[in-house]
Amino acid sequence: MPAEVYASLGSNQDRENNIRLAVKALRAHYGTLRLSPVYQNKAVGFAGDDFLNMVVAFNTEESPDVVQQQFRRIEDAAGRVRGGAKFAPRQLDIDLILYDDLVRSDEDLSLPREDIEIYGFVLLPLAELAPDVLHPVLKSSYAQMWQTFTGERNLQRVELDFDA
């Protein structure tokens, strides 16, 4: 049975084109996607241009490791440079945040990704896309988590056409 996968997409360099590139590449590989609204937010951890962020969901038979490898290929196609600072400008960042209810933490992958609990730019789009889905560890819905979220909530919704 296919797994339900959620991924967070972000970019602060050539933002609109890179987010569109990611959605197009994910559609080409995984088929039907469910898309959250897109949000603009300030860079976190460094001074830089604002980011665009969103969450996408899809179903796949691929393992979490294979999904993550596919995300890396898409990032590379967008010109992502690896090995720099954790908090730095990004052509494209695609993070696997949920893979069904899998709970995993090792050197390769941490699921569910803790960014869900830390960053509003991950939690809000996830809460809008999957409001009633329960966090596999906390057992709270993402809508409930957003209602009680005490982190940065200064997010501006941005209209972005994915058919362009």
Side-chain angles (χ1 to χ4, degrees), residues 45-116:
F46 69 98
D49 294 334
D50 289 355
F51 275 78
L52 291 183
N53 287 283
M54 69 181 300
V55 170
V56 301
F58 56 88
N59 295 80
T60 184
E61 300 276 351
E62 293 177 349
S63 72
D65 297 289
V66 171
V67 170
Q68 184 165 272
Q69 289 167 5
Q70 181 62 26
F71 290 176
R72 297 300 163 258
R73 285 191 285 276
I74 296 168
E75 290 173 340
D76 291 346
R80 167 82 182 258
V81 177
R82 302 197 187 281
K86 177 178 179 181
F87 297 109
R90 292 275 189 263
Q91 288 290 97
L92 182 62
D93 194 21
I94 308 176
D95 292 321
L96 179 57
I97 58 173
L98 293 166
Y99 185 96
D100 274 342
D101 288 334
L102 180 64
V103 177
R104 172 178 163 184
S105 185
D106 57 45
E107 65 279 353
D108 296 323
L109 196 55
S110 182
L111 292 168
R113 192 171 175 99
E114 72 174 2
D115 291 1
I116 295 167

Side-chain angles (χ1 to χ4, degrees), residues 34-39 53-57 124-126 128-129 162:
R34 295 179 307 286
L35 306 177
S36 78
V38 177
Y39 287 93
N53 287 283
M54 69 181 300
V55 170
V56 301
L124 176 58
L126 178 60
E128 291 189 341
L129 190 59
F162 291 99

Side-chain angles (χ1 to χ4, degrees), residues 94-162:
I94 308 176
D95 292 321
L96 179 57
I97 58 173
L98 293 166
Y99 185 96
D100 274 342
D101 288 334
L102 180 64
V103 177
R104 172 178 163 184
S105 185
D106 57 45
E107 65 279 353
D108 296 323
L109 196 55
S110 182
L111 292 168
R113 192 171 175 99
E114 72 174 2
D115 291 1
I116 295 167
E117 299 170 62
I118 298 171
Y119 300 116
F121 60 81
V122 176
L123 180 56
L124 176 58
L126 178 60
E128 291 189 341
L129 190 59
D132 300 323
V133 173
L134 299 181
H135 187 284
V137 175
L138 303 176
K139 304 300 183 198
S140 291
S141 74
Y142 296 111
Q144 291 168 328
M145 289 176 66
W146 177 248
Q147 287 175 351
T148 60
F149 183 70
T150 58
E152 178 60 56
R153 297 174 70 106
N154 188 15
L155 304 167
Q156 180 182 345
R157 194 167 172 163
V158 175
E159 294 302 321
L160 195 59
D161 181 8
F162 291 99

